[in-house]
Amino acid sequence: MFLINSNKSGRLTPGLILLTTLTFSGCAGKPWTIPLDGDRYNETSQLVDSLILDNRSCGQSLDGDLALFYADPLEKKALGGYLRFSMPGSFKFVVTNPFGQTVLAIAGDQKSYQAVSVPEQKYLAGSIRSFGLRHDIPAEILGGPWGEWLTGRNLRPGNTISTIREDKNSRGLWISFHHSKIEPAGMSHLLLEPVSKLPLSRILENGEGRIVAEVTYGDWIHQGECQQPQEINITGLDYGIDIRLKFSNVRLTGDAKQYTLPVPPGYIQQHMP
């Protein structure tokens, strides 16, 4: 995903909006109760596996219009454009002005990115890891499963479940997973409504057990047997940042793709570490 970034002059600079990050306030408790066991645990584990099978027919790529709203205590911004995303983490986001003209384009994957700023006639390229270090993006976000976060899917099988717990407010069940070996240390917690089978929220913990991110999903649409959230809300980030993604004209397709940006003729090139 991507990150909105401003330099000291207040001008928009290309950056990667990498998030899925809402944290609870410091005094809030975790939203689950004691772990389940027995038949209810086994039934939920089987439900998780059945949803993974359903998701396999839903394609590897997502295309759609995206309105992105960003707010912190000092400013608010809104961007509109078109997003192309392909599992597990390849993306291209083209920001347009009200006349449909390209203002900013960002493409890449979880290793590297390229960005083209049309007003500045500038092309940038660099590594995601260095970008994250420069902008204090948690490793849990950089190394997390972007595809799961953007689509609201869960791709972790039932035999990897750590615990299953009731939600304190009776919204559903919290299903917890330890991160895989290729992810930063920590855990993911998915709030699943077992009747509708829709994920409602996702919480991310780091290796010290601190909640570093939560995402909530809404306005689900159905394409055949597939479901896709059209609203993804990211709140409670560091520095009081709130982010909302609103999709429209969403299309799910089968093929996995890679996205890159060529260097436009005559543009200034800046290659970052």
Side-chain angles (χ1 to χ4, degrees), residues 45-193:
S45 178
Q46 291 169 11
L47 174 60
V48 167
D49 285 334
S50 70
L51 291 176
I52 291 176
L53 290 175
D54 292 343
N55 287 334
R56 287 178 181 172
S57 64
C58 294
Q60 297 294 304
S61 297
L62 176 156
D63 295 353
D65 297 321
L66 173 62
L68 188 149
F69 304 93
Y70 168 97
D72 65 29
L74 299 178
E75 64 179 341
K76 295 182 179 180
K77 292 181 180 178
L79 296 175
Y82 191 80
L83 175 69
R84 292 180 174 175
F85 182 88
S86 190
M87 297 284 191
S90 183
F91 66 90
K92 181 178 180 180
F93 183 45
V94 178
V95 180
T96 57
N97 64 19
F99 303 102
Q101 299 166 318
T102 298
V103 176
L104 174 69
I106 308 168
D109 53 29
Q110 289 187 283
K111 293 182 179 179
S112 64
Y113 71 93
Q114 308 91 45
V116 172
S117 174
V118 176
E120 297 177 300
Q121 300 278 286
K122 181 182 287 187
Y123 170 92
L124 295 111
S127 77
I128 292 294
R129 181 179 180 276
S130 295
F131 183 91
L133 291 173
R134 286 195 301 273
H135 299 287
D136 297 320
I137 300 173
E140 293 80 13
I141 304 301
L142 291 174
W146 298 357
E148 289 188 38
W149 298 342
L150 262 184
T151 61
R153 301 176 193 173
N154 172 64
L155 303 178
R156 304 170 194 263
N159 61 10
T160 65
I161 293 174
S162 172
T163 53
I164 301 174
R165 291 170 283 205
E166 295 273 11
D167 178 66
K168 284 183 177 178
N169 295 316
S170 302
R171 296 174 294 171
L173 298 174
W174 285 98
I175 305 167
S176 301
F177 305 85
H178 285 288
H179 289 170
S180 69
K181 293 181 180 179
I182 62 172
E183 296 176 276
M187 294 188 71
S188 296
H189 309 277
L190 179 69
L191 176 59
L192 182 69
E193 204 295 301

Side-chain angles (χ1 to χ4, degrees), residues 1-80:
M1 297 162 49
F2 339 161
L3 189 297
I4 300 174
N5 213 11
S6 294
N7 60 20
K8 293 182 180 180
S9 66
R11 294 159 61 197
L12 186 68
T13 58
L16 224 59
I17 285 174
L18 255 183
L19 305 282
T20 317
T21 346
L22 343 108
T23 50
F24 290 107
S25 62
C27 59
K30 294 180 180 179
W32 44 72
T33 60
I34 60 174
L36 302 180
D37 57 16
D39 290 343
R40 293 196 65 201
Y41 180 99
N42 294 332
E43 290 169 1
T44 304
S45 178
Q46 291 169 11
L47 174 60
V48 167
D49 285 334
S50 70
L51 291 176
I52 291 176
L53 290 175
D54 292 343
N55 287 334
R56 287 178 181 172
S57 64
C58 294
Q60 297 294 304
S61 297
L62 176 156
D63 295 353
D65 297 321
L66 173 62
L68 188 149
F69 304 93
Y70 168 97
D72 65 29
L74 299 178
E75 64 179 341
K76 295 182 179 180
K77 292 181 180 178
L79 296 175

Side-chain angles (χ1 to χ4, degrees), residues 54-65 82 151 153 198 219-230 247-254:
D54 292 343
N55 287 334
R56 287 178 181 172
S57 64
C58 294
Q60 297 294 304
S61 297
L62 176 156
D63 295 353
D65 297 321
Y82 191 80
T151 61
R153 301 176 193 173
L198 289 178
D219 191 18
W220 289 81
I221 58 169
H222 299 265
Q223 293 190 7
E225 298 298 318
C226 304
Q227 302 172 123
Q228 169 66 35
Q230 292 190 113
F247 289 95
S248 58
N249 301 317
V250 174
R251 186 168 64 99
L252 303 175
T253 60

